[in-house]
Amino acid sequence: MHIQLNGERYELPDGQSVADLLQRLELTGRRLAVELNQDIVPRSQHAATLLGEGDQVEVVHAIGGG
């Protein structure tokens, strides 16, 4: 299936969750926010939230500073 990942077309197998996508991107365990079709997906829901054809996903890294 194809999704839009941070504005770019991205291909991945059917039946993938947000957690699966983050693992593919090697982002597991990092501080980040995930938005799916303009809604924030809480970290507790990453494994249960399945992606579908044409979904728009934004992954934003949290950066500390001060």
Side-chain angles (χ1 to χ4, degrees):
M1 85 176 138
H2 295 95
I3 63 170
Q4 289 290 317
L5 175 62
N6 292 347
E8 301 289 329
R9 183 177 165 106
Y10 189 83
E11 184 175 350
L12 67 161
D14 290 340
Q16 297 288 287
S17 68
V18 170
D20 295 328
L21 175 63
L22 296 177
Q23 185 173 13
R24 282 175 148 289
L25 298 171
E26 299 180 1
L27 296 175
T28 303
R30 297 200 185 172
R31 294 183 59 187
L32 47 82
V34 178
E35 184 179 278
L36 174 59
N37 299 323
Q38 300 182 344
D39 290 320
I40 297 292
V41 180
R43 182 181 298 268
S44 63
Q45 295 298 310
H46 286 183
T49 303
L50 297 180
L51 300 170
E53 181 71 34
D55 278 348
Q56 295 182 18
V57 180
E58 296 289 328
V59 178
V60 180
H61 298 267
I63 300 174

